[in-house]
Amino acid sequence: MTSSIPAVGTRSAEAATLQAVFLDLDGTLVDTEGFWWEAEAEVFARLGHTLDDRHREVVVGGPMSRSAGYLLRETGADIGLTELSTLLNEAFVARIGRGVPLMPGARRLLSELAAHRLPAALVSASHRTVIEQMLHSLGPENFALVVAGDDLMRTKPHPDPYLTAAARLGVDPARCAVVEDTLTGVRAGEAAGCRVVAVPSVTPVPAAPGRTVVRSLEEVDLPFLQALITESRGVVH
């Protein structure tokens, strides 16, 4: 009688299969980190304050509440956090309304994931209204799910956005790859138990055990992402 139980090697291979890819937006798929800084500088100039470039590394990659709150404390601007966040979003949306440039390799990677029917989720600290604007450039059909910064009580560097994406797709975080450009996002993916690829844009991301750092999305393809899961499971082919 033939057993219906898969061989050990088969079970190991199945457990090491990549189930989904979670992608950050600003600075990872689209080249907009400079747009955010320009929007912040413009808004604070209207409020009578000049932003020092040293603030840029602090605010990059973070949620709106953290970035705006930090800049308020540093400048002492006479405005509330909610009103400031609205002004920053408006200034940013005005810029991306003219279109956003994709990072090198982004279009090819999204097309490859779609061609192999591998679920891709867009996981961003940006507000949903901002994300929807940029989806026109990226193609909403390329994403099975979008998790926005204003969807959750806690966003990056907390693991909540990536755990939410995994739960909604019904996949195991340990069998998902995260692609991020900032240390804030990288830490969120790692805290969620995902395999993380860092593609630094504005600020460096240091190497660390279990973390893969590359220079460009052009180095990232489906076999590359699958290998992250396979190696983490110690599967021998």
Side-chain angles (χ1 to χ4, degrees), residues 34-52 71 77 79 84 86-96 98:
F35 286 22
W36 274 114
W37 180 246
E38 290 170 6
E40 288 158 347
E42 174 197 319
V43 168
F44 275 90
R46 297 206 308 259
L47 295 171
H49 298 274
T50 300
L51 295 185
D52 192 306
L71 292 173
I79 188 173
L84 175 60
T86 299
L87 292 177
L88 291 173
N89 268 322
E90 288 174 351
F92 182 73
V93 168
R95 282 167 167 73
I96 64 175
R98 298 185 289 270

Side-chain angles (χ1 to χ4, degrees), residues 166-205:
R168 290 180 181 173
L169 290 177
V171 295
D172 178 3
R175 293 170 63 185
C176 297
V178 164
V179 185
E180 279 276 2
D181 73 304
T182 67
L183 187 56
T184 296
V186 165
R187 285 174 172 162
E190 291 173 344
C194 303
R195 300 294 295 179
V196 180
V197 180
V199 191
S201 58
V202 176
T203 58
V205 176

Side-chain angles (χ1 to χ4, degrees), residues 14-206:
E14 288 176 352
T17 301
L18 177 67
Q19 290 186 324
V21 178
F22 302 150
L23 299 137
D24 175 52
L25 181 60
D26 293 292
T28 300
L29 291 178
V30 291
D31 190 7
T32 53
E33 291 292 6
F35 286 22
W36 274 114
W37 180 246
E38 290 170 6
E40 288 158 347
E42 174 197 319
V43 168
F44 275 90
R46 297 206 308 259
L47 295 171
H49 298 274
T50 300
L51 295 185
D52 192 306
D53 277 347
R54 65 187 171 85
H55 298 315
R56 187 172 183 175
E57 290 191 8
V58 179
V59 301
V60 67
M64 173 69 72
S65 58
R66 191 197 74 186
S67 300
Y70 167 81
L71 292 173
L72 275 179
R73 291 191 300 273
E74 289 295 310
T75 62
D78 185 19
I79 188 173
L81 179 60
T82 300
E83 185 182 357
L84 175 60
S85 296
T86 299
L87 292 177
L88 291 173
N89 268 322
E90 288 174 351
F92 182 73
V93 168
R95 282 167 167 73
I96 64 175
R98 298 185 289 270
V100 292
L102 270 60
M103 298 297 282
R107 179 73 67 196
R108 187 263 316 148
L109 177 59
L110 291 174
S111 297
E112 183 179 9
L113 297 178
H116 287 84
R117 299 183 182 277
L118 188 69
L122 190 58
V123 183
S124 173
S126 294
H127 288 190
R128 186 166 290 273
T129 54
V130 172
I131 294 172
E132 288 173 352
Q133 287 278 344
M134 287 191 271
L135 278 174
H136 294 303
S137 299
L138 288 167
E141 69 280 0
N142 289 314
F143 302 97
L145 177 71
V146 174
V147 178
D150 51 345
D151 289 346
L152 306 170
M153 292 295 294
R154 301 194 310 175
T155 186
K156 306 171 187 178
H158 298 287
D160 305 35
Y162 288 114
L163 292 176
T164 298
R168 290 180 181 173
L169 290 177
V171 295
D172 178 3
R175 293 170 63 185
C176 297
V178 164
V179 185
E180 279 276 2
D181 73 304
T182 67
L183 187 56
T184 296
V186 165
R187 285 174 172 162
E190 291 173 344
C194 303
R195 300 294 295 179
V196 180
V197 180
V199 191
S201 58
V202 176
T203 58
V205 176

